Amino acid sequence: MGANPRPILFVSYAESGLLNPLLVLAEELSRRGVADLWFAADEKARGEVEAAGVDSAVRFASLGETVSQMSAVTWDDETYAEVTQRSRFKAHRAVIKHSFAPRSRIGKYRALEKIVEEVRPALMVIESMCQFGHELAITKSIPFVLGVPFVPSNVLTSHVPFAASYTPSGFPVPHSGLPGVMTFRQRIENELFRVRTLGMFMTSSVRKVVEEDNRIRTELGIAPKARQMMARIDHAEMVLCYSVPELDYPFPMHEKMRLVGTMVPPLPQAPEDDGLSDWLSEQKSVVYMGFGTVTRLTREQVGSLVDVARRLAAAGHQVLWKLPRSQQELLPPAEELPDGLRIESWVPSQLDVLAHPNVKVFFTHAGGNGYHEGLYFGKPLVVRPLWVDCDDQAVRGQDFGVSLTLDRPETVDADDVLDKITRVLDEPSFTERAEHFAGLLHDAGGRAAAADLLLGLPALATH
């Protein structure tokens, strides 16, 4: 592997919501001709990583095949139902239950350890959810930058009481979906969220997993300082967050946090799109429906959304729906689909779609990337929150006047969906507010600002 004394090693899970922002940053560095760029991820990301090389190569370092506990798209239907249920605490607990599997990360840690020994990176850029990545960087004393695709408080707020936290007391706990200004009942709920999370780790079943985790950390040689609650923040050279302060509730920002806005590559990202951009240009008003790679709709929910498209068409609005091929079998017969509905199993670039002026509303699950991408292009949102951070983005979007959230997201009631979409389309304030935040996200600098910050770090100094 590389012999340059200043290699940069990116590390990420292969899930698109986590991987994509780091790919944009790696591509920007490549476009600037930065040498010795490496990217460690699961084997399935090989093609995307290698495609990020523009003027200098981005070399792929394989972490092996995907481990189920680390990939929500591989979870069975029972697990999916548990982690996406509407009780936010129960869903939060289910995510911990299914992803807290210490033995599953042994192979990833060892694979990354071998890559690090061969590449000898001067700097690592690690996706915030990639625990084995920051554990290894801290243990090996390798300077690293943490990449965060969520609002900043997501990684600065503790989930349990009495632990280090970099937001004020009473701040909404991540995954709680609670607002910044709470009623007395909500404040109690917020505190109970922390207490119940701590209580979960005191049950006999979870304590056994914690004990196993401690044994495995010792077996891997992970430094004790890497095990602390806020280790990934405390030991990072810098925390790159793809948001802006105004899209979170106010709090004193951590000194290491650098908010650079949405990570967007040069557009068009996919000029060859099989006529999709031409179709968008032929319409006057398009509602784009895209719910990420994890969402699994039922036949009833698909039927409700077809009904919504039919009723929107009657009002002069077209619908572009990104619906995975595996779920298209739930659609009614083709002859029963409304003329105003275009269904794609995959769009070559969601960013190109959102950038199109005829797209007026983004109907989304409000994952970290989708939420910020929609607003970057000034598109107001209608939100069907899916899980974990989606509820947090949904409540902020509604409070900041850029979105409305479904009253009954679990059923996808057609009347509820149509009401929210129609209100966002008809009330100018939603677009005005979205365009306001678009200006802030653009001004933050995006990929260019992130690359400048990275290249300015002492770890990459050449003398």
Side-chain angles (χ1 to χ4, degrees):
M1 292 189 178
N4 189 299
R6 318 312 296 163
I8 301 173
L9 174 63
F10 292 83
V11 186
S12 177
Y13 288 130
E15 303 304 315
S16 58
L18 306 175
L19 178 75
N20 287 348
L22 289 189
L23 284 177
V24 172
L25 180 52
E27 182 181 304
E28 175 66 17
L29 295 175
S30 169
R31 193 175 292 107
R32 297 185 184 196
V34 176
D36 252 337
L37 300 175
W38 291 86
F39 205 121
D42 290 351
E43 184 61 35
K44 71 176 186 177
R46 178 184 290 273
E48 293 174 276
V49 168
E50 292 177 344
V54 180
D55 291 319
S56 61
V58 179
R59 286 175 280 190
F60 180 73
S62 181
L63 293 172
E65 297 304 319
T66 299
V67 174
S68 177
Q69 291 91 337
M70 299 178 181
S71 175
V73 298
T74 68
W75 291 348
D76 60 32
D77 289 341
E78 182 180 352
T79 301
Y80 176 83
E82 278 191 84
V83 301
T84 60
Q85 63 184 294
R86 280 295 87 202
S87 166
R88 290 163 187 154
F89 177 76
K90 289 180 180 178
H92 166 75
R93 181 176 63 191
V95 170
I96 294 173
K97 169 187 168 185
H98 291 289
S99 60
F100 185 31
R103 191 156 295 280
S104 68
R105 76 176 191 274
I106 294 176
K108 299 299 178 188
Y109 189 95
R110 291 299 190 204
L112 183 59
E113 190 173 44
K114 183 177 179 182
I115 292 165
V116 162
E117 287 172 357
E118 296 181 1
V119 173
R120 300 180 65 83
L123 181 74
M124 296 174 70
V125 185
I126 304 169
E127 200 289 312
S128 61
M129 299 297 292
C130 193
Q131 181 182 356
F132 64 87
H134 67 74
E135 285 178 334
L136 188 142
I138 295 169
T139 298
K140 304 289 185 181
S141 298
I142 301 170
F144 72 96
V145 169
L146 198 70
V148 178
F150 317 109
V151 293
S153 62
N154 180 281
V155 296
L156 297 176
T157 308
S158 173
H159 281 97
V160 296
F162 318 121
S165 193
Y166 295 122
T167 52
S169 174
F171 198 89
V173 180
H175 308 169
S176 68
L178 290 168
V181 178
M182 303 182 206
T183 65
F184 176 75
R185 181 174 180 176
Q186 287 172 327
R187 291 198 299 271
I188 297 298
E189 183 182 347
N190 193 47
E191 292 309 310
L192 282 176
F193 202 97
R194 281 191 172 93
V195 171
R196 293 173 74 187
T197 300
L198 180 61
M200 174 185 168
F201 283 89
M202 294 182 173
T203 62
S204 59
S205 58
V206 178
R207 282 172 62 188
K208 289 179 182 177
V209 182
V210 171
E211 290 169 1
E212 180 187 31
D213 186 49
N214 288 332
R215 288 195 301 271
I216 287 171
R217 286 170 185 261
T218 301
E219 173 189 326
L220 293 172
I222 295 173
K225 63 183 179 180
R227 309 179 190 188
Q228 297 161 3
M229 188 71 70
M230 286 288 172
R232 59 182 175 170
I233 304 296
D234 295 340
H235 297 281
E237 299 292 300
M238 179 171 65
V239 180
L240 274 180
C241 182
Y242 320 131
S243 187
V244 290
E246 295 83 356
L247 281 173
D248 206 345
Y249 297 125
F251 66 94
M253 196 58 62
H254 193 281
E255 62 182 3
K256 292 185 179 181
M257 186 70 68
R258 300 291 182 269
L259 293 106
V260 297
T262 317
M263 297 293 280
V264 175
L267 299 184
Q269 188 178 28
E272 301 298 325
D273 62 2
D274 295 324
L276 180 57
S277 58
D278 292 338
W279 180 84
L280 290 170
S281 296
E282 293 167 0
Q283 316 308 319
K284 291 183 178 179
S285 175
V286 176
V287 174
Y288 172 51
M289 302 196 306
F291 306 112
T293 55
V294 176
T295 298
R296 305 175 195 177
L297 298 170
T298 65
R299 187 175 300 277
E300 293 74 17
Q301 291 166 345
V302 167
S304 290
L305 292 174
V306 170
D307 185 32
V308 168
R310 180 178 292 108
R311 293 158 73 177
L312 284 170
H317 306 289
Q318 312 301 304
V319 173
L320 171 63
W321 186 2
K322 185 179 73 173
L323 182 67
R325 194 171 302 281
S326 61
Q327 295 182 45
Q328 290 186 21
E329 63 185 25
L330 305 176
L331 288 163
E335 61 271 16
E336 296 180 19
L337 297 176
D339 292 337
L341 173 62
R342 176 166 178 152
I343 296 172
E344 298 284 348
S345 58
W346 188 253
V347 295
S349 170
Q350 176 166 283
L351 298 171
D352 289 345
V353 169
L354 291 170
H356 200 285
N358 292 346
V359 173
K360 305 301 182 183
V361 173
F362 183 19
F363 186 14
T364 172
H365 67 305
N369 283 341
Y371 176 75
H372 288 96
E373 288 168 358
L375 295 179
Y376 179 87
F377 293 107
K379 311 299 181 181
L381 315 173
V382 171
V383 176
R384 179 188 180 251
L386 181 65
W387 66 332
V388 291
D389 68 299
C390 300
D391 286 296
D392 299 333
Q393 271 105 221
V395 70
R396 284 160 174 76
Q398 192 151 295
D399 281 352
F400 300 151
V402 299
S403 67
L404 290 175
T405 301
L406 299 188
D407 295 331
R408 297 176 291 280
E410 67 281 358
T411 60
V412 193
D413 178 78
D415 290 337
D416 182 21
V417 174
L418 188 67
D419 171 62
K420 301 301 185 296
I421 291 177
T422 302
R423 285 171 58 190
V424 170
L425 283 167
D426 291 349
E427 296 177 23
S429 65
F430 288 102
T431 298
E432 290 167 1
R433 291 295 291 164
E435 290 175 345
H436 166 73
F437 286 107
L440 297 176
L441 288 164
H442 281 260
D443 290 346
R447 68 179 191 278
D452 289 343
L453 288 165
L454 207 67
L455 294 174
L457 289 172
L460 297 180
T462 56
H463 58 276

